[in-house]
């Protein structure tokens, strides 16, 4: 069974700070996705990474896929209150395996 | 708005009952996936359909079943409901398997 572990589980920071969160596995994934979910809503796809070492940027968010395709990181520059939410990583295709998520709170 | 629609948004029912959740995928997407999200288990894959055929199965209980119709909408049937079935149920659709778009979910409460 492929497992994805996300860390830290909870993060509360001040607006304007930078942060990095992680998604790790002992298994190799063909691709990794990051989603953001707000309470009572469905996960919203942020990015898909498929190549080892790949870096993708989405405005202030930078996503990196590990060289061995077993891990990924998400870096947010100058966090804003609108970044608050649950960040989920998911691996594989079709039968997605999800991590438990990182709850991020950005205080104004 | 992901383009995936789910009905109903909320559902309250009693133990032992049967319910049907409905999902319409994004236009052009042939694959539909069902997931269950609970506080203790997180998001868990249940089942995938591709163009009307079952393609992959996760930890879906025997009391649960799904199907995808010729117009590509899908239904998830949950029967003999138990308190522990209370959860958020999400449908997702895709053209490429690694890029799935999720609907707003159905919140099921079993009393």
């Amino acid at each position: 069974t492929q497992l994805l572990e996300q860390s830290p589980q909870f993060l509360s920071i001040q607006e304007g700070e930078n942060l990095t969160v992680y998604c790790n596995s002992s298994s190799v994934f063909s691709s990794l996705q990051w989603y953001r979910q707000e309470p009572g809503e469905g996960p919203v796809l942020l990015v898909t990474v498929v190549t080892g070492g790949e870096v993708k940027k989405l405005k202030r968010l930078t996503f990196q896929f590990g060289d061995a395709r077993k891990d990924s990181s998400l870096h947010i520059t100058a966090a804003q209150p609108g970044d608050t939410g649950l960040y989920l990583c998911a691996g594989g295709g079709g039968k997605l395996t999800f991590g438990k998520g990182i709850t991020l709170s950005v205080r104004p | 708005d992901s383009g995936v629609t789910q009905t109903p948004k909320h559902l309250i029912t009693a133990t032992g009952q049967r319910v049907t959740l409905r999902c319409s995928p994004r236009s052009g997407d042939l694959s539909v996936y069902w997931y269950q999200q609970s506080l203790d288990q997180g998001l868990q894959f249940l089942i995938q359909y591709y163009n009307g055929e079952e393609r992959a199965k996760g930890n879906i209980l025997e009391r649960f079943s799904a199907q995808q119709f010729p117009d590509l909408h899908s239904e998830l049937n949950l029967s003999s409901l138990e308190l522990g079935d209370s959860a958020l149920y999400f449908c997702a659709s895709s053209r490429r398997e690694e890029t799935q778009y999720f609907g707003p979910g159905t919140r099921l409460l079993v009393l």
Side-chain angles (χ1 to χ4, degrees):
Chain A
T1 304
Q2 295 180 312
L3 292 174
L4 283 167
E5 293 191 3
Q6 294 190 248
S7 60
Q9 193 175 354
F10 299 98
L11 191 55
S12 179
I13 61 170
Q14 202 72 31
E15 181 177 1
E17 291 183 14
N18 301 331
L19 65 118
T20 302
V21 295
Y22 302 91
C23 173
N24 295 298
S25 175
S26 58
S27 304
V28 174
F29 284 93
S30 57
S31 65
L32 246 163
Q33 297 78 43
W34 283 90
Y35 291 82
R36 182 169 70 214
Q37 185 179 22
E38 300 196 18
E41 299 182 10
V44 175
L45 181 65
L46 297 175
V47 77
T48 299
V49 285
V50 295
T51 305
E54 182 177 4
V55 176
K56 280 192 173 178
K57 292 194 175 186
L58 182 66
K59 296 183 182 177
R60 295 174 293 99
L61 278 61
T62 302
F63 304 85
Q64 183 159 10
F65 201 12
D67 291 341
R69 291 186 290 134
K70 292 183 179 182
D71 53 82
S72 180
S73 64
L74 160 58
H75 180 81
I76 301 179
T77 304
Q80 298 178 2
D83 296 326
T84 293
L86 178 67
Y87 288 81
L88 294 158
C89 67
K95 192 174 173 178
L96 284 180
T97 298
F98 279 85
K100 291 288 178 71
I102 295 162
T103 299
L104 173 64
S105 172
V106 182
R107 304 184 303 275
Chain B
D1 186 353
S2 67
V4 179
T5 60
Q6 290 186 248
T7 56
K9 190 159 179 63
H10 302 278
L11 199 48
I12 302 175
T13 189
T15 54
Q17 294 298 304
R18 173 189 168 93
V19 297
T20 298
L21 313 184
R22 193 178 193 280
C23 167
S24 292
R26 295 187 319 155
S27 177
D29 287 359
L30 298 180
S31 280
V32 168
Y33 312 80
W34 286 97
Y35 291 85
Q36 179 192 59
Q37 187 175 36
S38 60
L39 281 174
D40 55 340
Q41 296 291 325
L43 257 171
Q44 301 274 314
F45 169 78
L46 294 177
I47 197 164
Q48 176 195 0
Y49 278 81
Y50 177 82
N51 202 21
E53 300 290 324
E54 182 184 306
R55 175 160 279 194
K57 228 172 183 176
N59 295 326
I60 187 168
L61 299 172
E62 284 192 13
R63 301 183 285 109
F64 296 1
S65 65
Q67 58 186 106
Q68 186 179 27
F69 295 87
D71 67 352
L72 300 178
H73 91 271
S74 178
E75 293 180 355
L76 178 67
N77 300 296
L78 315 176
S79 61
S80 303
L81 285 166
E82 301 175 0
L83 296 178
D85 298 327
S86 296
L88 273 165
Y89 291 84
F90 290 104
C91 165
S93 75
S94 74
R95 288 183 196 125
R96 294 173 55 184
E97 287 191 334
E98 68 272 13
T99 307
Q100 297 181 24
Y101 296 89
F102 281 74
T106 293
R107 183 178 292 276
L108 174 66
L109 180 60
V110 182
L111 299 175

